[in-house]
Amino acid sequence: MSDDNPADADASAGDEFETELARARDLLDGDDIDAVHVGVVRDGEVDTTFAQRTDDDADGAGLRALALLAAHVRLVAGEAGVEPSTVAGDAATLAGQVEQIPASTDQIPDE
C-alpha cells in the first residue's frame, strides 16, 4: 500500500507554482532589466507582452529579443524533455503557418 496522496501532490504543485510566481515577481522588480517577454495562460487563453529598453541601438535591441527567444526555447525544451533545436524547428514551422500570434490554443492551426 502506498502513502502517496493525490492531495499532497496537488499541494506540492501549487507550492511550486507559487514559488515560481514569486520568483518572477522578484525578477520584475529589478531596475537592471533590459527586456522582458511575459506569457500568461488563463483558462486556455494566452496573453503575452514584450517590452525592452533601448538606447536607439537597433542591433542591441534585436540581440536582446533573440536572447529572450533563445531562453524561452531552452525552457520549453527542458519542460518537454527534447532538444532545443526540436522546439526551435517546431516554433519556426508554426510561425510560418500563422498570420497572427494565436490568442488561444483553439487558434493554433492543425498540422
Side-chain angles (χ1 to χ4, degrees):
M1 184 169 186
S2 172
D3 289 338
D4 292 339
N5 182 343
D8 290 343
D10 288 345
S12 177
D15 291 345
E16 184 177 327
F17 181 81
E18 289 299 323
T19 299
E20 288 297 321
L21 188 58
R23 180 174 178 264
R25 287 181 174 144
D26 287 344
L27 287 171
L28 290 172
D29 283 340
D31 291 332
D32 59 342
I33 296 173
D34 292 324
V36 64
H37 178 226
V38 177
V40 177
V41 180
R42 288 188 183 107
D43 297 326
E45 298 291 318
V46 179
D47 290 321
T48 140
T49 187
F50 174 81
Q52 66 181 342
R53 293 183 182 144
T54 179
D55 53 2
D56 295 327
D57 174 17
D59 291 337
L63 287 175
R64 282 193 297 276
L66 283 174
L68 283 171
L69 175 60
H72 187 72
V73 165
R74 289 184 59 89
L75 177 68
V76 170
E79 289 289 324
V82 298
E83 291 295 317
S85 60
T86 301
V87 173
D90 289 348
T93 299
L94 183 59
Q97 294 176 353
V98 296
E99 293 180 19
Q100 66 182 27
I101 297 172
S104 75
T105 54
D106 294 338
Q107 295 175 334
I108 296 174
D110 295 328
E111 290 187 37

